[in-house]
Amino acid sequence: MALLLHLSLSPASAQQMLRDAETEALLAEASAPLIKAAGLDPRNVQVLLINDPSINAFVAGGQIVWLHTGLLAEADNINQVQGVIAHELGHIEGGHIIRSSEGMKVATGITLLSLVLGAAAIAAGGGEAGMGILAAGQQAAMGKYLAFSRTQESSADLAGARYLHTAGITGKGSLEFFKKLQNLEYRYRVAETADDGYATTHPMSGDRIATLTDLYKADPAWNRPIDPALEARFERVKAKLIGFVSDPPVTLRKYPPSNMTAPALYARAYAWHKGAYPEQALGAADNLLQYLPNDPYFLELKGQILLENGHPADAIAPLRRAAAGTANNGLIAGMLGHALVATEDPSHLDEAERVLRSALARDRENPFAWYVLGTVYARKGDLSRAALASAEQSNLSGDEPQALRQAERAMAGLKPGTNDYLRAQDIVMVSRGAMERSRKKKK
């Protein structure tokens, strides 16, 4: 895995995104029939991970569904995850992120009116009355906005049920996950009658369960079993995720050494790697490869352990096989390029450049791959393209001043009109625009 309760919502850019080839492949396959059922193009929709232990999922613009790692860790099966994805796709199809401004507009109108009336009352000598008007206006505005938000959530629930029906996928997982949320509400004492149901942005889980139960049970897919191959892959992904994000003692309690299943070995390999026990981590990886010698993700794991423990030359062979087994997946190919460069053997530079350019052609939003490609260009003496790669990395990382400097440096050495020159020019324009907007906000 390459590190690159809806009670609060943080934008994805402010949190830590997790990229993993196996996880993204699983989520793409699990969501594809739902995306098609929603009338969306699977090539344009992504399901990605945010490293956050809370049980949450959201869309924040575009066609990206963000799942918190806590949601995957708490899900009992892939069908529960599909239920969550179906709901979030309902927000995308309904244009709820764009339309949220409508709810804000109504709420703002009420707030402004209360400010005018409250100020008038205060000016007329009715201080307490004026303050009361202001407070009532704020409460009314919040109620209007929350009502709008809850209406969108209910709409997404029904849309998600429609997608599951069209895709022929049971809604059992959806109901099971709502029951998990209901248990959290009980734990945190969120009352069903709080503020007439407008205390939160979502309908209470009990209401959602009641609305959806009859709908799902009447569906022909209600008793349809989960695809066993998809479920087996989910158990692997969940285990490696827990091993990656949890403290090693937590992982080892959940997956003790007596458990020799593939998911348990996967979890322990990441736990031991994270805990700086490379021999145990490699032992678990080798045990996994005894199960499936050509599994590309097990090979990726072994290569990663070797690479990150100072053995890049030994990591090259398993990473080459892993890349070949995944049609040169961008993340895995990027790790292979890193291993080739980390050997500090000049004879590997040409292969590293080919591998990294191939990786970035498939996945341009990989800052570390741009960094390694820049290192390759610098070692080969191509300083203009090294600067362009650095500009790409800084642009993806949100460092606009550095992106601007490096893109201008690249343009100074690149031939005008070439693709690389035009790309550097684009980064200059984007970075300047972002810096100008930031400057205006600070005024």
Side-chain angles (χ1 to χ4, degrees), residues 1 20 22 236 240 244 262-274 278 280-289 295-309 315 318-319 322 332 335:
M1 183 166 293
D20 175 64
E22 182 178 17
R236 281 176 45 162
K240 74 188 293 188
F244 184 78
L265 286 166
Y266 225 171
R268 290 201 299 275
Y270 276 98
W272 279 321
H273 180 49
K274 183 176 181 178
Q280 290 91 328
L282 279 173
D286 285 335
N287 281 332
L288 286 168
L289 287 167
D295 187 287
Y297 304 115
F298 294 165
L299 288 163
E300 177 198 18
L301 169 62
K302 182 171 183 176
Q304 180 181 356
I305 294 168
L306 289 166
L307 172 61
E308 294 176 359
N309 282 282
L319 288 175
I332 297 176
M335 189 182 296

Side-chain angles (χ1 to χ4, degrees), residues 348-370:
H348 287 317
L349 290 178
D350 287 343
E351 181 184 0
E353 181 181 350
R354 289 195 304 272
V355 165
L356 288 163
R357 288 174 67 91
S358 174
L360 289 164
R362 289 168 169 77
D363 182 6
R364 295 188 64 84
E365 297 187 5
N366 187 337
F368 188 71
W370 284 113

Side-chain angles (χ1 to χ4, degrees), residues 221-420:
W222 173 251
N223 288 315
R224 188 165 296 167
I226 302 172
D227 179 351
L230 199 65
E231 179 61 21
R233 290 169 58 196
F234 169 73
E235 291 300 329
R236 281 176 45 162
V237 162
K238 177 179 174 178
K240 74 188 293 188
L241 176 66
I242 290 172
F244 184 78
V245 302
S246 302
D247 290 333
V250 173
T251 302
L252 294 175
R253 282 196 298 271
K254 187 175 183 65
Y255 297 97
S258 58
N259 186 340
M260 293 299 291
T261 62
L265 286 166
Y266 225 171
R268 290 201 299 275
Y270 276 98
W272 279 321
H273 180 49
K274 183 176 181 178
Y277 293 96
E279 292 183 4
Q280 290 91 328
L282 279 173
D286 285 335
N287 281 332
L288 286 168
L289 287 167
Q290 288 180 3
Y291 278 109
L292 295 170
N294 297 314
D295 187 287
Y297 304 115
F298 294 165
L299 288 163
E300 177 198 18
L301 169 62
K302 182 171 183 176
Q304 180 181 356
I305 294 168
L306 289 166
L307 172 61
E308 294 176 359
N309 282 282
H311 303 284
D314 295 331
I316 291 172
L319 288 175
R320 277 180 179 148
R321 292 174 60 197
T326 56
N328 287 320
N329 172 271
L331 293 172
I332 297 176
M335 189 182 296
L336 171 58
H338 179 200
L340 290 163
V341 172
T343 64
E344 299 188 2
D345 182 345
S347 67
H348 287 317
L349 290 178
D350 287 343
E351 181 184 0
E353 181 181 350
R354 289 195 304 272
V355 165
L356 288 163
R357 288 174 67 91
S358 174
L360 289 164
R362 289 168 169 77
D363 182 6
R364 295 188 64 84
E365 297 187 5
N366 187 337
F368 188 71
W370 284 113
Y371 167 78
V372 180
L373 182 59
T375 301
V376 172
Y377 284 136
R379 290 185 184 177
K380 297 177 76 171
D382 190 345
L383 299 184
S384 297
R385 285 183 174 79
L388 177 56
S390 179
E392 295 276 15
Q393 177 205 357
S394 299
N395 181 47
L396 288 170
S397 302
D399 187 348
E400 301 300 344
Q402 178 69 358
L404 177 60
R405 286 191 294 270
Q406 294 295 340
E408 289 177 334
R409 185 175 300 171
M411 288 177 65
L414 293 168
K415 183 178 179 180
T418 61
N419 288 338
D420 285 342

Side-chain angles (χ1 to χ4, degrees), residues 103-175:
M104 290 294 290
K105 184 176 181 180
V106 173
T108 301
I110 294 173
T111 301
L112 291 175
L113 179 60
S114 69
L115 287 172
V116 172
L117 295 176
I122 293 171
E128 290 187 6
M131 294 302 293
I133 291 172
L134 291 174
Q138 294 289 336
Q139 185 174 7
M142 180 59 72
K144 282 290 185 182
Y145 180 73
L146 293 178
F148 182 86
S149 175
R150 289 162 67 88
T151 298
Q152 289 188 333
E153 292 299 327
S154 297
S155 173
D157 284 347
L158 294 176
R162 175 163 47 88
Y163 307 152
L164 290 165
H165 164 74
T166 302
I169 298 172
T170 178
K172 285 182 180 179
S174 178
L175 290 179

